[in-house]
Amino acid sequence: LVCHCHYTAHCHQRGAAQPARSPSFVLSSFLLLFVIAHSLEMVRAARACLVEGKAAPATAGRRPLRAHALSRPASRPLRHASSPAAPSPSLVSLPRSLGPTRRTGARSQRARVAARAAAGDKPRVAIVGATGAVGQEFLDLLDQREFPLGSLKLLASARSAGKEMAFKGQNYVVEELTEDSFSDVDIALFSAGGGISKTFGPVAAAAGCIVVDNSSAFRMTEGIPLVIPEINGEELRSVDWKARKGAIIANPNCSTIIALMAVTPLHREAPVKRMVVSTYQAASGAGQAAMDELVLQTREALEGKEVTKDIFPIQYAFNLFSHNSPMQDNGYNEEELKMVKETKKIWNFDGVSITATCIRVPIVRAHAESINLEFEGQGLSEARARELLSGAPGVSLIDDRSSNTFPTPLDASFKDDVFVGRIRKDISRDGDKGLDLFVCGDQIRKGAALNAVQIAEVLLTQ
């Protein structure tokens, strides 16, 4: 067009008539048609990417985020979860008290209506807290378990927005989490802390999204299910992700999940009257920064240097201490009371007495727990306990007395199963009234990310 105008002005200055079909006019017309065609092709390709859930091409020179080397092995075997128990009805709709307080106006209403009309055969998934340790584990599991995705959205704080993360050979740009992030999301996996969940969980549910929340924000809220799929997957029966009605599902505390994976098969056979738990919890429970600091402190301590203490106020390397959750007036910390309350809700059984002592130990990843059980009635023998646990979904036995081989956190790290051993009769009780167990489970996987992904998998089978 510039060329054509210039040629027209040149002809005018010379007093010459411009040809009806000058070379400049033909050239400019051809270029204009080429630009329009190319622009339409770019729009079509962009729309196809959105529909198919593909990422935009990676920006040259930028590298995807990587977790600490200790939290990412080169290869890990894929294990598939066993099918949950037969479902039965339950309440899962969002309570009125948890509705959004700030998402108002015609714009938000239009977004919700559009999203509800757009659900397809494959769910559009968002990961909230994508750059954290659990968020990155979500990505690994969605890939390894071949979770069907309509699209994928990675959300995090403004500080992390703009970074890139790799998934299935594509680089995805992390977006800032806002109240408008969920209009095109069917299932959101939250792992960004209780404060974020309390703020954005109800907003996402109000937009028609199913929220699977890994924090403690909603675990004890009436009407919100607290689910371990192998134990009470039937609680999800009335949740339909395609209906776009929205709901919140709570992921239990990691220590609770690991304990109940081992204890529930026994409880179903012989009701547990009393449970005494001592936990030995890894740095992973406090996030990637705590894992990194434990590695750093270990190096500094071995070099005779003063250790860095940014995450915990006391030295972690070569030390252990009472769990860092807030202490309550009764002398129990918050982590210990979570195990008490959550167990009763998951089992829907108040007849069990529970006490717990939770300790942080200098292990990078995977929790260990010592569990003492007292049973009702005739109790449960060692042999029967082994038989039940050997057939329990998501449980593996390591219990060889002859070689003194039992579960360790390293055995459980990067594994889907919870490992159980040291199965023995409690000699302080008569008959088969009591048993002792030692349990190890990966806190990031089954204790957090895997359990949430399994919940999402159950939703797809409804």
Side-chain angles (χ1 to χ4, degrees):
L1 292 177
V2 172
C3 180
H4 175 65
C5 293
H6 179 74
Y7 183 80
T8 301
H10 178 71
C11 291
H12 179 73
Q13 289 177 355
R14 295 180 58 186
Q18 181 186 7
R21 293 184 179 179
S22 66
S24 64
F25 179 83
V26 173
L27 177 61
S28 61
S29 299
F30 175 80
L31 290 175
L32 180 60
L33 290 173
F34 175 81
V35 169
I36 292 173
H38 186 63
S39 299
L40 290 174
E41 176 61 20
M42 291 179 64
V43 171
R44 186 202 63 78
R47 292 183 62 185
C49 285
L50 289 174
V51 172
E52 297 173 10
K54 296 180 180 178
T59 303
R62 301 185 70 178
R63 303 179 65 182
L65 293 180
R66 295 181 63 86
H68 194 282
L70 288 177
S71 64
R72 286 289 185 277
S75 62
R76 285 170 279 180
L78 173 62
R79 296 173 185 239
H80 293 285
S82 301
S83 299
S88 63
S90 66
L91 291 174
V92 291
S93 58
L94 182 68
R96 291 179 182 270
S97 60
L98 295 178
T101 57
R102 291 182 291 170
R103 189 179 177 90
T104 58
R107 174 188 173 190
S108 298
Q109 182 65 26
R110 287 196 301 271
R112 287 197 294 272
V113 171
R116 285 175 180 157
D121 292 333
K122 297 179 181 180
R124 300 163 295 181
V125 174
I127 297 177
V128 179
T131 58
V134 175
Q136 295 180 67
E137 201 73 23
F138 280 143
L139 287 175
D140 281 353
L141 290 165
L142 292 175
D143 185 6
Q144 293 171 15
R145 299 173 74 86
E146 298 181 352
F147 188 93
L149 292 171
S151 65
L152 178 64
K153 179 182 290 190
L154 306 183
L155 301 170
S157 66
R159 184 179 65 253
S160 298
K163 295 180 179 178
E164 293 181 357
M165 299 183 71
F167 179 74
K168 287 185 176 293
Q170 299 282 344
N171 280 2
Y172 286 74
V173 178
V174 177
E175 302 176 30
E176 181 181 356
L177 173 65
T178 69
E179 291 188 351
D180 296 319
S181 295
F182 304 100
S183 61
D184 56 352
V185 174
D186 299 311
I187 298 175
L189 305 176
F190 272 64
S191 189
I196 295 296
S197 293
K198 288 179 180 178
T199 300
F200 292 98
V203 169
C209 179
I210 304 299
V211 174
V212 184
D213 181 43
N214 195 54
S215 79
S216 61
F218 307 108
R219 288 174 185 159
M220 299 310 298
T221 302
E222 185 177 354
I224 291 182
L226 184 64
V227 177
I228 303 173
E230 297 92 336
I231 295 173
N232 63 335
E234 68 273 8
E235 293 292 323
L236 302 173
R237 182 176 181 179
S238 59
V239 183
D240 182 0
W241 68 269
K242 288 187 177 182
R244 297 295 300 171
K245 294 181 179 179
I248 296 177
I249 303 164
N251 219 31
N253 180 51
C254 51
S255 298
T256 305
I257 293 174
I258 293 168
L260 295 192
M261 286 293 293
V263 175
T264 302
L266 311 181
H267 173 66
R268 287 172 174 161
E269 177 95 354
V272 174
K273 180 180 179 181
R274 186 169 187 263
M275 180 163 63
V276 181
V277 184
S278 296
T279 70
Y280 314 96
Q281 298 184 219
S284 56
Q288 187 66 48
M291 298 163 70
D292 292 339
E293 183 165 287
L294 174 57
V295 174
L296 175 61
Q297 282 192 6
T298 302
R299 184 182 302 113
E300 291 171 336
L302 289 173
E303 294 174 352
K305 299 178 181 178
E306 183 177 354
V307 299
T308 302
K309 292 181 284 190
D310 293 334
I311 306 301
F312 300 115
I314 60 179
Q315 180 173 324
Y316 195 2
F318 304 102
N319 195 15
L320 53 82
F321 51 89
S322 178
H323 194 277
N324 48 289
S325 57
M327 188 62 65
Q328 310 299 304
D329 292 339
N330 62 1
Y332 284 78
N333 61 45
E334 191 175 89
E335 185 82 357
E336 293 158 351
L337 294 180
K338 286 177 185 177
M339 296 194 71
V340 174
K341 297 175 182 178
E342 292 177 17
T343 297
K344 295 182 178 182
K345 180 173 180 177
I346 293 167
W347 281 355
N348 191 26
F349 180 63
D350 290 328
V352 59
S353 298
I354 305 169
T355 185
T357 301
C358 295
I359 303 296
R360 189 75 77 181
V361 298
I363 301 295
V364 173
R365 180 171 177 144
H367 292 351
E369 302 183 22
S370 171
I371 303 174
N372 175 267
L373 301 173
E374 179 184 356
F375 298 101
E376 298 277 9
Q378 298 299 314
L380 197 66
S381 67
E382 290 181 16
R384 181 57 178 158
R386 287 191 182 88
E387 182 181 354
L388 291 169
L389 290 170
S390 65
V395 174
S396 292
L397 291 183
I398 303 179
D399 195 32
D400 188 347
R401 295 178 183 176
S402 62
S403 63
N404 199 22
T405 302
F406 305 104
T408 71
L410 286 179
D411 292 324
S413 293
F414 306 106
K415 303 296 196 313
D416 291 351
D417 281 3
V418 170
F419 293 82
V420 185
R422 295 299 313 276
I423 303 170
R424 63 200 187 278
K425 174 183 175 180
D426 179 357
I427 59 175
S428 71
R429 302 186 186 280
D430 296 331
D432 293 327
K433 288 284 190 178
L435 281 177
D436 286 298
L437 313 171
F438 188 70
V439 181
C440 291
D442 189 305
Q443 179 275 327
I444 300 179
R445 287 182 84 83
K446 185 54 184 174
L450 173 61
N451 198 76
V453 171
Q454 287 176 317
I455 289 173
E457 289 173 340
V458 173
L459 295 178
L460 298 188
T461 66
Q462 305 287 51

